[in-house]
Amino acid sequence: MRDTSPLREDLQATLDARRDLGPDYEPALVDSLVERLDATIAARVAAELHLRGMPSPKQRASGSAMVPIALGSMAIGIPLTAIASTSGPVAIVATWIAIVAINMASAMVIMRRP
């Protein structure tokens, strides 16, 4: 059986604070308790996924978010290359440098998401 004493302590502290502070602070106390419960549940889920060798939802989401960007870059890159080829090899290189820069910026934004 899991140790639930920290959860019990949090709940008891919230009830004690509610008794001391009165009903005016009840919404803030409830929100605070819910945030701590969410964090506890998220930690337990992450630990269970780690034990089973599965990637966390955050790890899965970051990789899957890049797929549309990569496919979109390829889809846009082909016609842009054809258009740039009329201006010469420098235009082609510049086009692909811009596509790579956009992909790198997108990847950085996606990886920084909480």
Side-chain angles (χ1 to χ4, degrees), residues 3-114:
D3 182 22
T4 58
S5 60
L7 292 176
R8 289 180 190 271
E9 290 172 7
D10 280 349
L11 181 56
Q12 187 62 49
T14 301
L15 293 173
D16 292 343
R18 198 271 187 209
R19 190 175 20 247
D20 293 342
L21 298 173
D24 294 338
Y25 290 93
E26 190 170 299
L29 292 170
V30 169
D31 289 343
S32 174
L33 179 63
V34 168
E35 287 176 13
R36 290 189 304 245
L37 286 173
D38 282 345
T40 301
I41 291 168
R44 286 183 178 179
V45 168
E48 187 68 28
L49 289 174
H50 180 71
L51 283 175
R52 294 177 185 225
M54 299 172 70
S56 69
K58 181 181 176 185
Q59 290 171 331
R60 279 185 275 157
S62 65
S64 63
M66 289 300 300
V67 172
I69 294 170
L71 292 175
S73 294
M74 290 170 40
I76 295 294
I78 294 169
L80 287 179
T81 301
I83 294 168
S85 68
T86 61
S87 298
V90 174
I92 295 172
V93 170
T95 300
W96 280 100
I97 287 174
I99 291 171
V100 168
I102 291 169
N103 279 300
M104 289 178 68
S106 299
M108 290 173 64
V109 167
I110 289 171
M111 294 303 190
R112 287 185 183 167
R113 287 184 188 165

